[in-house]
Amino acid sequence: MSLAQRDKAILWHPYTQMQTAPLPIGITRGEGALLFSEDGKTYLDAVSSWWVNIHGHAHPHIAQRVSQQLQTLEHVIFAGFTHEPAVQLAERLLRLLPSNQARVFYTDNGSTAVEVALKMVLQYWFNQGVEKTKIIAFEGSYHGDTFGAMSVSERSVFTRPFQQYLFDVEFLPVPVPGKEEQTLARLQELLQHEDIAAFIFEPLVLGTAGMVMYSPEVLNELLRLCRKQKVMTIADEVMTGFGRTGKRFAMDSLTEQPDVMCFSKGITGGTMALGVTTCTQEIYNAFLSQDKTKALFHGHSYTANPVACAASLASLDLVEAPEFLQNLERITASHAAFAQELAGKEGIKEVRQTGTILAVEFEVGETSYFHNLRDVLYNFSLENGVLLRPLGNIVYALPPYCITTEQLAQVYQTMEGMRQLIVARAF
Ligand SMILES: *Cc1c(COP(=O)(O)O)cnc(C)c1O
């Protein structure tokens, strides 16, 4: 029996209607930007396998460092104990992050990194006896699938069954080009309320919303307003971190600094699950007390797993190598050239780009996630040997940085093919 058939009998996949989903594709091996399937096909992974695989698959340097760590220390409880990979990773991360970031808290994924960020800012105020309990988030945002993370994310058909358990959040329109003043005015209005604890945001690009983009200038303004009102700010860099926006971090494009930052996805180069939440000394200090109940009561069995930390350290070696920024520049320039070629063509509503993220929004009539178009485009990309996962009528490339010029051309060709399909209404 094939992997796909054995899977079909007993497994349950994420974001998948199991009754109607086609058989999953069994992958036996990965190398660079390529995935190899059990039926002998090759797929170009143009979405870095859900945005995690920044250096490509089975990178030998990461493999070697992980293997070494496995033979040294695979895990140790992180309450009352510590280890070299956890300490070294925190030291190296803080050197790369905005200068006000001072403390590192480990978890297992992006959602838990967000949960911890929310707990940090809410308890920061609680510990000081200040009644600030409201969170502000962007409309259309996505911060994860656990309950706190769902609460600060766009409410949709996906969250409807849990609606009554999600806490109240003030949603702010995204300041996309032309809408900046509207967002700034709305934030000023919200900040009149005394009970606002924090503002959480995906910096520069809202991923799951469909790669919705806005400028660093307006984000600077928003953060300045929050700082003036002593409202904490949380930069969720789970998707944007580690090169996506063309710089190491999206926040590197800003002059303002956030109070809290969240990381996961690219942090281990797509090798191991790991989440990181960092914060300022000021936030950390609010948890220091002779009173034990003022501590941050959050932890996971696998907190700071040494193998995950080692994978992340190996990934950081690659992130800090000179070729890293060169690759970002190469992909950014390549995307820009294609974006210019595509913009204005028939069937194209908008082409958006921030660094290595390229999004093409097709002009179609009625759109929704469940619209048949999404499946048509998805299947078309797979038939062309490229893995692209459209969000409705939006298709995006978020490639591993090792992707070659020829492979990028194959991605663009596939996108152009999609455009022709839509123009011809050939589905
Ligand atoms: C993916 C994502 C998350 C959730 O991360 P998981 O590891 O999937 O739980 C949170 N925030 C942003 C911006 C993301 O893109």
Side-chain angles (χ1 to χ4, degrees):
M1 260 210 291
S2 71
L3 265 179
Q5 285 162 329
R6 282 159 57 206
D7 173 298
K8 180 86 175 161
I10 50 168
L11 283 172
W12 195 343
H13 286 262
Y15 285 107
T16 303
Q17 173 45 260
M18 297 301 291
Q19 182 165 315
T20 51
L23 279 179
I25 298 166
I27 295 298
T28 51
R29 196 169 68 82
E31 188 181 337
L34 298 178
L35 293 166
F36 302 94
S37 70
E38 61 178 338
D39 55 358
K41 294 196 180 120
T42 304
Y43 296 95
L44 175 54
D45 189 353
V47 297
S48 303
S49 281
W50 254 342
W51 321 346
V52 299
N53 226 279
I54 58 175
H55 310 296
H57 295 279
H59 196 287
H61 178 66
I62 301 180
Q64 191 240 337
R65 291 291 301 270
V66 164
S67 161
Q68 261 176 2
Q69 186 59 45
L70 275 169
Q71 295 166 61
T72 313
L73 176 69
E74 84 302 340
H75 190 64
V76 61
I77 180 172
F78 205 60
F81 290 80
T82 192
H83 52 82
E84 176 68 26
V87 176
Q88 205 187 108
L89 178 56
E91 288 169 348
R92 283 180 65 181
L93 276 177
L94 289 181
R95 244 181 274 140
L96 295 178
L97 295 180
S99 60
N100 69 340
Q101 297 301 297
R103 289 280 160 176
V104 176
F105 194 97
Y106 290 111
T107 58
D108 302 335
N109 56 63
S111 303
T112 53
V114 167
E115 294 291 332
V116 167
L118 295 171
K119 284 188 175 182
M120 277 180 180
V121 294
L122 291 172
Q123 197 178 338
Y124 166 82
W125 293 116
F126 180 88
N127 279 357
Q128 300 174 79
V130 179
E131 274 266 341
K132 284 183 188 278
T133 55
K134 263 277 168 65
I135 310 281
I136 300 175
F138 277 136
E139 288 168 4
S141 62
Y142 177 77
H143 296 288
D145 286 345
T146 50
F147 275 78
M150 264 197 293
S151 295
V152 294
S153 299
E154 169 83 1
R155 308 300 164 83
S156 71
V157 285
F158 304 133
T159 58
R160 197 169 297 151
F162 320 111
Q163 190 64 27
Q164 62 176 309
Y165 301 107
L166 304 182
F167 58 75
D168 268 352
V169 168
E170 296 290 352
F171 286 102
L172 194 63
V174 184
V176 293
K179 295 283 169 78
E180 289 95 342
E181 289 309 317
Q182 191 186 321
T183 302
L184 285 164
R186 177 72 184 132
L187 181 64
Q188 270 167 322
E189 215 173 87
L190 287 173
L191 291 176
Q192 305 285 313
H193 302 284
E194 293 285 294
D195 60 345
I196 307 289
F199 166 45
I200 185 167
F201 57 94
E202 293 165 80
L204 308 189
V205 186
L206 279 75
T208 306
M211 304 299 156
V212 172
M213 301 176 186
Y214 62 98
S215 76
E217 290 76 23
V218 70
L219 183 53
N220 268 329
E221 287 289 322
L222 295 172
L223 297 185
R224 222 170 280 136
L225 288 172
C226 288
R227 189 159 47 78
K228 263 201 270 172
Q229 295 296 319
K230 290 229 56 166
V231 163
M232 294 289 134
T233 54
I234 303 170
D236 177 353
E237 290 235 24
V238 168
M239 189 271 281
T240 53
F242 304 97
R244 273 302 156 208
T245 63
K247 297 189 185 263
R248 282 210 182 93
F249 300 99
M251 294 309 287
D252 292 349
S253 298
L254 275 85
T255 50
E256 288 292 316
Q257 299 185 328
D259 297 291
V260 180
M261 299 182 80
C262 305
F263 305 94
S264 187
K265 292 211 165 98
I267 196 167
T268 65
T271 309
M272 303 276 297
L274 180 68
V276 162
T277 310
T278 65
C279 71
T280 60
Q281 193 64 35
E282 184 191 345
I283 291 184
Y284 176 75
N285 285 347
F287 291 73
L288 300 180
S289 170
Q290 292 299 319
D291 177 356
K292 279 191 177 162
T293 67
K294 294 212 163 164
L296 180 58
F297 283 101
H298 190 104
H300 299 279
S301 335
Y302 280 97
T303 297
N305 175 260
V307 184
C309 290
S312 187
L313 283 166
S315 176
L316 274 189
D317 293 340
L318 305 173
V319 166
E320 293 188 277
E323 308 87 77
F324 183 76
L325 292 175
Q326 288 163 14
N327 272 332
L328 298 189
E329 279 167 26
R330 176 178 61 85
I331 296 167
T332 300
S334 169
H335 278 357
F338 177 66
Q340 202 174 14
E341 193 187 308
L342 202 62
K345 277 197 183 171
E346 193 187 353
I348 302 293
K349 187 169 177 198
E350 190 176 57
V351 186
R352 299 187 284 274
Q353 187 203 354
T354 301
T356 71
I357 306 169
L358 175 73
V360 178
E361 187 164 347
F362 293 111
E363 184 71 66
V364 283
E366 183 247 346
T367 63
S368 91
Y369 190 90
F370 297 110
H371 195 288
N372 170 43
L373 176 68
R374 186 259 168 214
D375 294 340
V376 170
L377 297 180
Y378 179 63
N379 294 335
F380 178 82
S381 79
L382 292 181
E383 283 157 21
N384 280 271
V386 180
L387 170 51
L388 289 166
R389 280 185 65 94
L391 297 157
N393 62 326
I394 298 162
V395 65
Y396 63 87
L398 210 116
Y401 308 137
C402 63
I403 192 167
T404 65
T405 305
E406 295 71 36
Q407 288 170 332
L408 277 169
Q410 193 187 343
V411 174
Y412 303 148
Q413 244 166 43
T414 307
M415 289 177 160
E416 169 60 17
M418 288 176 173
R419 185 189 73 81
Q420 290 173 11
L421 207 66
I422 285 170
V423 170
R425 294 269 179 255
F427 57 90

